[in-house]
Amino acid sequence: MNIKEKIAFGKINQMRNDTLTSDKIRIGFVGGGPSSFIGYTHRLSARFDNRFNFVSGVFSQEEKKSKEFAISLGIDPNRAYSNYKEMADKECKRNDGVEAVGIMTPSGDHYSIAREFIQNKVHIICDKPLTSSIEDAEKLEKLVEDNKIVFALTHNYSAYPMLREAKKIVENRKIGEVRLINVEYPQGYTAGIKKEEEASTLKWRLDPKMCGPSMILSEIGTHAHHLLRYVTNLEIEEVCAEVKTLSPELSVDDNAFIILRMSNKARGMIWVSSSATGGENGLRIRVFGSQGAIDWLQDEPNILKFTELNKPVQLITRGSSMVSDFSLESSRVAAGHPEGFFEAFANIYTEFAEEINSRKKNIISTPSFPTISDGVKGIKFIFAAKNSSDHNSKWQKI
Amino acid sequence: MNIKEKIAFGKINQMRNDTLTSDKIRIGFVGGGPSSFIGYTHRLSARFDNRFNFVSGVFSQEEKKSKEFAISLGIDPNRAYSNYKEMADKECKRNDGVEAVGIMTPSGDHYSIAREFIQNKVHIICDKPLTSSIEDAEKLEKLVEDNKIVFALTHNYSAYPMLREAKKIVENRKIGEVRLINVEYPQGYTAGIKKEEEASTLKWRLDPKMCGPSMILSEIGTHAHHLLRYVTNLEIEEVCAEVKTLSPELSVDDNAFIILRMSNKARGMIWVSSSATGGENGLRIRVFGSQGAIDWLQDEPNILKFTELNKPVQLITRGSSMVSDFSLESSRVAAGHPEGFFEAFANIYTEFAEEINSRKKNIISTPSFPTISDGVKGIKFIFAAKNSSDHNSKWQKI
Amino acid sequence: MNIKEKIAFGKINQMRNDTLTSDKIRIGFVGGGPSSFIGYTHRLSARFDNRFNFVSGVFSQEEKKSKEFAISLGIDPNRAYSNYKEMADKECKRNDGVEAVGIMTPSGDHYSIAREFIQNKVHIICDKPLTSSIEDAEKLEKLVEDNKIVFALTHNYSAYPMLREAKKIVENRKIGEVRLINVEYPQGYTAGIKKEEEASTLKWRLDPKMCGPSMILSEIGTHAHHLLRYVTNLEIEEVCAEVKTLSPELSVDDNAFIILRMSNKARGMIWVSSSATGGENGLRIRVFGSQGAIDWLQDEPNILKFTELNKPVQLITRGSSMVSDFSLESSRVAAGHPEGFFEAFANIYTEFAEEINSRKKNIISTPSFPTISDGVKGIKFIFAAKNSSDHNSKWQKI
Amino acid sequence: MNIKEKIAFGKINQMRNDTLTSDKIRIGFVGGGPSSFIGYTHRLSARFDNRFNFVSGVFSQEEKKSKEFAISLGIDPNRAYSNYKEMADKECKRNDGVEAVGIMTPSGDHYSIAREFIQNKVHIICDKPLTSSIEDAEKLEKLVEDNKIVFALTHNYSAYPMLREAKKIVENRKIGEVRLINVEYPQGYTAGIKKEEEASTLKWRLDPKMCGPSMILSEIGTHAHHLLRYVTNLEIEEVCAEVKTLSPELSVDDNAFIILRMSNKARGMIWVSSSATGGENGLRIRVFGSQGAIDWLQDEPNILKFTELNKPVQLITRGSSMVSDFSLESSRVAAGHPEGFFEAFANIYTEFAEEINSRKKNIISTPSFPTISDGVKGIKFIFAAKNSSDHNSKWQKI
């Protein structure tokens, strides 16, 4: 009985649920302390479907602050730490220690932090991008594979139900052979920053050790890159890029145009920017094939525009009877009631929990969420694009 | 220091948070058992900001099912019951009994259920509409007032951040004197229902004892009615209505047109329908004043269209620096990242928790969420509109 | 060979054309002098497809001004007059006198002016509404019929290609049985007018003899009324209306809500307003049937939203291969190149010319443009709605 | 008295008009015979504002057909010719010969045709792109300058009122310093063409002598290029391009991505395609500056999105009181009534006529329409981009 039949026969009325068939996963967090938006996001996402118990964390490098914040979250302060090594060490000695850890620090620290937990067989859910160097990325990948760790990277956009519908449409060849791709992510975040505000606004993003060789590619470039690969199931073979600082007030790059040669001879374009004045989070992906096209924009995340050759544009809506099971299973509320950013983020947490439960039962599946391998490819993309730009936009193989 | 200053000075980076300054509220639920969408919605909303512990519930009229479902939610099965009287009775004898109860049964039962808990000083958060009769509504109002209960009615639409911005814009007279109002909620839910499917699809909505005198007014009419009052801060004085069954397959009404005479001489219109074929949840409110206008549509909930006389339409976006503190405090994520239905619903739960905490400290405030008084007005509106329609659309005072 | 085949086989590349198979029609104008927008509109529409020679006119009540304006248009000043009786008299004595006359004066004058020409077998294209009284409307209808005159009323909105597509979709029962209709036309034209500006802005619209009993119904109400009848092919049986002056600065009505009972038991709503602050020309029609729905908005005139029951919304685009021949024949440019207001208006002029040519050949056809009969119904609608409103919204038969 | 004052004081009610202060210009056409869409477009544009008399033309290379078509347009068949040399020769001997000629043949012929008329001091309005070679373009420029000819190139998009508003906004530095530009024109025109249909569909576009070195750059690339220069008043210094054939059924290129380095250090992107399946004419320009941004899309031509730093997006509407005189003078109908493709095209014809009249009075002005110089730059852009693509996307100076 598939999800549509279950809905039709009244077996279920909602799609995702908050009921458990296994124990909740014991999770801890490294990063995301007081006043962190991404901390709230990770925790809310973990609460969404009732899959985790929050048991531990490093919420500050000051022990007192870390413990106080733990209390405010309802976590035992004895399990709040001031550094991740101590946390890994102590938690892993407990019978009821963390089974999973969410990492939301700058990417330059991801490898070192993850390593401590992975060596103790703790599963990892990690903010993007994976690392700030290719070397770290590859070492991390090896660790994850050697230790059979469940590793999720929070490229949350790919978990929007209508992007998953887009993936299915492409996969089922409803648009035929992919020929042309355009992904854009025009933010205006840095357009108004003054030189004297740069440090307080961009913080660690100014430090290549933490952020990698390109601010804009690290911040949103890998989101665009992952989305393109996720939806099309194609790899990028070569890039030709112009990565520049357009605002004279900034010391890091704020715009990238990247032309793409795809594995199947298609051509594509990625444009990411924080200097698109007035832009908020207008992530958009368009894929054109021999028989049709899809078009998705984060500003209207519950709609997918799907066009078949010589037919009208169709507005496929989330949660409707028109979408695939895969998309429906990623939904929570009936068509017409808007879902947003948090639901997509929560999908990754819920699927991460389900994957851990599968592993406990020795079931090997292909996760729907972004994995360590996606993360490594993202870092290689950043370096290739930056390298192309540094060589006057010469084509670079990835 | 207001919220904008707090954000600007880095005191906080997010708006709502999940950190606690008091103990979590112990909550139980009546209704919302296995396969209930509204049950999932209430529970997710209660989890959102980490304000509640789930401790009890009636999840089925069969004891075994109720207990099994409790277990799947992580609730002690000893505190799962098969009827609300038992729950009220037993919980109220415990030191750690429920402090609040969420009710998500058909509206005909709301009064009887709420009464049991209110008499024991348990706070109530209740699905809409309030009741199925004016008599019940008024009795419930008296009980709530006499017992100084915090009572929240989940007209969740009014908790969208951009509707709260709309309310502030009207309140601050940025559109001048309100002259003209149009609220529409065109759903297509019943358009394709066949006679033989009616009972299984509409269920208790076919029973006036449970649903009140009008299916369409009860289902979505009170949402429209509340939204109009919430945003404009005006009351409706008289209604002229045509409430009809347009689909020959249905035995209940599926469309209502209602012309409104407002307390301040303005005129308005409410149109609600489940026979607007293809419609999903396109709730829209437009308010026109002597100096400007606002326009909000649930399909694009993160945008408010605001127009000043003889100036361009402005697209005010949620979470941006343009919005009021009130709207910002109802937001969770930065501008451009879409929020949706659940965030609005969760606002009511979080504010309900905050109000309970205030009461514990004997602080009396004016809640932002819909109250018992709003609920009573909603029921009177239903009866007045139905009455007008039954008298060939004669104007009826409310 | 239909139009699509003609296009496919390269017989034609455009849809409408400017090539003639008969002589051009000799036309004159009454009204639309210097600084008149509607005058420019009528003349441009007549020039669009090269179907008319402009030979005569009354462009001012001052002879000198009328002649000067004629010269500026390239019309022989000897055939420019200062009153319509003189024009009718002199033109009808000429061998090369006017065959058709465009009337663009206030509606109170339409009957008297038209009569002079009709008696001389001159065809009429007339601005809306038809007249300012039912009596005049009926007398005019009789004259037109008795004299076998081609009479076109410029309800131009009905000539948008995508509204004609809507008409065809309804006619072909692609939305099944019509059950529900909503037409709105929210303008903000009068919202900012001050008492002292009223006379100079609204002019003859303040005079019921010229404008009829309701400003707002006369100005745009008949547009909404005609559109509804045109698209659905249904008649309105009864109306229940609230027609009011919402702006305290105005002496005429500026808003009307009208509930409709249709000939086929469907229900509908017309809302027209000039007090919808910030509104421009957002005319919209939605028709919901048992099997689907259509939705059209003048702000996006080249798109028709068409939904089939339980299927995605389709965006049918003007000039595309998806549209009917009728819609395609009303188009001029390929899909994606926007057409607008003037093209719709010009369709009426071009079809008026074609109808005159048909009559010359004694071919009787059913015109696509609004006729005298539509005009009479429009006036009766105005009076019925106003009458209902004057009787506290009592239902009035039309 | 500027145009807004004129409107406010009732001196005029419309913006453009069809009244003459000089004699009409005698115009002939080369190209645009029976079944030509572009022929209809040029003639309609010339009729729009009553500025031209059509007196001559080459409508076919067969004399009989040319004369028959002339008759159908109301042109004296004695002045219809079968080749342009004969037309130039005979017309220029007449006292009442053509003063202007509209050329709408493939671009490879433009230079030869134009030369014949220019030598006889006939003014030229010519379809785009200017020529198919740089050599022809430069020779034509010299001829035009030496002979003081009024030369208009029909890059019609730049004559949309709201693009002219965009130009004014940029010019008045309301968006500050331009930093980032994105122009896209994704058509789907060739996506479905089969190999065996290519010749009949693309015709002369398959012949580089007629079309230049790149089909896609010639067809729409120069439109994008001109628009970018027109709105920003910046020149492109260098291009890095990937111009490819994505459809395996085609023998000409169908997609181009072009990264731009601008004269002021800004960066930009042009994307033009005919392989964007489902695309119609979605031309879009976005310009981001240090203080704001503009965004215009042909699908909604009557709206310009204008954003000031840290303020809401404003929807500036055509014909409204918010727009500049320049934009208002390019409009014809009040705000809210949609204008489209033909009005923009007609603006070029009307301004071409006005420029000719100015020249007659020896007034030298700066035309608003695209000139010979714009045309030459367009051809150089095509060749530079193609050259870059042919050298593995190496940067090319223009």
Side-chain angles (χ1 to χ4, degrees), chain A residues 160-263:
Chain A
Y160 274 110
M162 295 318 287
L163 271 176
R164 292 179 159 193
E165 183 64 16
K167 181 183 179 63
K168 276 294 157 193
I169 285 174
V170 175
E171 196 172 297
N172 294 334
R173 298 190 61 78
K174 288 190 187 171
I175 66 165
E177 177 82 10
V178 171
R179 287 182 182 162
L180 177 60
I181 308 165
N182 191 300
V183 184
E184 64 177 43
Y185 199 159
Q187 296 186 321
Y189 180 57
T190 61
I193 294 181
K194 298 285 169 205
K195 206 179 281 294
E196 59 272 21
E197 304 162 340
E198 192 192 28
S200 67
T201 314
L202 294 181
K203 296 175 184 141
W204 54 269
R205 290 170 190 86
L206 300 175
D207 175 3
K209 274 191 199 152
M210 287 296 108
C211 187
S214 162
M215 192 282 281
I216 196 65
L217 293 175
S218 180
E219 276 296 290
I220 56 174
T222 54
H223 274 312
H225 169 260
H226 177 259
L227 205 61
L228 182 154
R229 292 177 51 250
Y230 184 79
V231 170
T232 64
N233 212 24
L234 296 173
E235 297 294 340
I236 298 168
E237 291 206 333
E238 282 184 275
V239 295
C240 163
E242 176 86 335
V243 185
K244 287 287 159 187
T245 305
L246 300 183
S247 164
E249 308 280 332
L250 289 192
S251 58
V252 289
D253 53 40
D254 56 4
N255 190 78
F257 289 122
I258 310 164
I259 309 178
L260 314 170
R261 292 177 179 159
M262 304 301 300
S263 48

Side-chain angles (χ1 to χ4, degrees), chain D residues 28 52 85 90 122 127 133 204 215 217 235 265 273 293 300 316 324 346 352 361 366 377:
Chain D
F52 296 90
K85 290 202 182 192
K90 293 200 173 156
V122 173
D127 222 86
S133 73
W204 53 269
M215 192 282 280
L217 293 174
E235 295 294 340
K265 307 291 178 204
S273 191
E300 297 177 339
I316 314 280
S324 62
F352 174 64
K361 297 171 194 157
T366 308
K377 283 175 181 154

Side-chain angles (χ1 to χ4, degrees), chain A residues 134-382:
Chain A
I134 295 180
E135 192 191 354
D136 275 3
E138 290 182 334
K139 286 194 291 185
L140 188 47
E141 184 173 36
K142 189 163 187 319
L143 269 178
V144 166
E145 286 171 359
D146 289 351
N147 288 281
K148 293 178 183 154
I149 292 300
V150 180
F151 189 99
L153 195 69
T154 54
H155 280 308
N156 53 299
Y157 303 121
S158 62
Y160 274 110
M162 295 318 287
L163 271 176
R164 292 179 159 193
E165 183 64 16
K167 181 183 179 63
K168 276 294 157 193
I169 285 174
V170 175
E171 196 172 297
N172 294 334
R173 298 190 61 78
K174 288 190 187 171
I175 66 165
E177 177 82 10
V178 171
R179 287 182 182 162
L180 177 60
I181 308 165
N182 191 300
V183 184
E184 64 177 43
Y185 199 159
Q187 296 186 321
Y189 180 57
T190 61
I193 294 181
K194 298 285 169 205
K195 206 179 281 294
E196 59 272 21
E197 304 162 340
E198 192 192 28
S200 67
T201 314
L202 294 181
K203 296 175 184 141
W204 54 269
R205 290 170 190 86
L206 300 175
D207 175 3
K209 274 191 199 152
M210 287 296 108
C211 187
S214 162
M215 192 282 281
I216 196 65
L217 293 175
S218 180
E219 276 296 290
I220 56 174
T222 54
H223 274 312
H225 169 260
H226 177 259
L227 205 61
L228 182 154
R229 292 177 51 250
Y230 184 79
V231 170
T232 64
N233 212 24
L234 296 173
E235 297 294 340
I236 298 168
E237 291 206 333
E238 282 184 275
V239 295
C240 163
E242 176 86 335
V243 185
K244 287 287 159 187
T245 305
L246 300 183
S247 164
E249 308 280 332
L250 289 192
S251 58
V252 289
D253 53 40
D254 56 4
N255 190 78
F257 289 122
I258 310 164
I259 309 178
L260 314 170
R261 292 177 179 159
M262 304 301 300
S263 48
N264 76 336
K265 307 290 176 203
R267 288 298 181 272
M269 158 66 51
I270 286 178
W271 169 40
V272 289
S273 191
S274 62
S275 54
T277 316
E280 293 185 342
N281 278 290
L283 175 62
R284 184 180 187 185
I285 180 166
R286 288 175 277 185
V287 182
F288 305 93
S290 55
Q291 298 301 320
I294 59 94
D295 183 358
W296 181 89
L297 171 65
Q298 191 183 211
D299 291 338
E300 298 177 340
N302 295 286
I303 293 173
L304 178 70
K305 291 187 181 169
F306 168 50
T307 313
E308 294 171 286
L309 191 63
N310 299 326
K311 293 198 177 165
V313 174
Q314 296 176 51
L315 306 181
I316 315 281
T317 51
R318 192 197 48 70
S320 70
S321 59
M322 282 77 77
V323 302
S324 61
D325 287 5
F326 180 47
S327 177
L328 215 48
E329 288 161 358
S330 311
S331 276
R332 286 176 180 78
V333 63
H337 274 139
E339 289 192 3
F341 175 84
F342 290 122
E343 285 83 355
F345 215 109
N347 279 337
I348 294 185
Y349 262 90
T350 297
E351 293 164 3
F352 175 62
E354 287 171 359
E355 185 69 13
I356 293 172
N357 284 325
S358 293
R359 291 287 175 99
K360 287 179 182 174
K361 299 171 194 157
N362 289 313
I363 301 167
I364 304 289
S365 61
T366 306
S368 301
F369 53 76
T371 64
I372 184 77
S373 153
D374 295 310
V376 174
K377 282 175 181 154
I379 300 306
K380 288 181 176 170
F381 166 74
I382 290 176

Side-chain angles (χ1 to χ4, degrees), chain B residues 179-182 184 186 188 190-192 194 238 240-242 244 246-249 254-255 257-261 265-269 271 273 275-279 284 286 288-293 307-311 313 389 392-395, chain C residues 179-182 184 186 188 190-192 194 238 240-242 244 246-249 254-255 257-261 265-269 271 273 275-279 284 286 288-293 307-311 313 389 392-395:
Chain B
R179 287 182 182 161
L180 178 59
I181 308 165
N182 190 300
E184 64 177 45
T190 61
K194 298 286 169 205
E238 282 184 275
C240 163
E242 176 87 335
K244 287 287 158 186
L246 301 182
S247 163
E249 309 279 331
D254 56 4
N255 190 78
F257 290 122
I258 310 164
I259 309 178
L260 314 170
R261 292 177 179 160
K265 307 291 177 204
R267 288 296 181 274
M269 158 65 52
W271 169 40
S273 191
S275 54
T277 316
R284 184 181 187 186
R286 287 175 278 185
F288 305 93
S290 56
Q291 299 301 321
T307 313
E308 293 171 286
L309 191 64
N310 299 327
K311 293 198 177 164
V313 174
S389 185
N392 205 27
S393 312
K394 196 178 167 193
W395 283 96
Chain C
R179 288 183 183 162
L180 178 60
I181 308 165
N182 189 300
E184 64 177 44
T190 61
K194 300 284 169 208
E238 281 184 275
C240 163
E242 176 87 335
K244 286 287 158 186
L246 300 183
S247 165
E249 309 279 333
D254 55 6
N255 190 78
F257 290 122
I258 310 163
I259 309 178
L260 314 169
R261 293 179 178 157
K265 307 290 178 204
R267 287 297 180 275
M269 158 64 52
W271 169 39
S273 192
S275 55
T277 316
R284 184 181 186 185
R286 286 174 279 184
F288 304 94
S290 55
Q291 299 301 320
T307 313
E308 292 172 286
L309 191 64
N310 300 326
K311 293 199 178 164
V313 173
S389 184
N392 204 27
S393 311
K394 197 178 165 192
W395 284 96

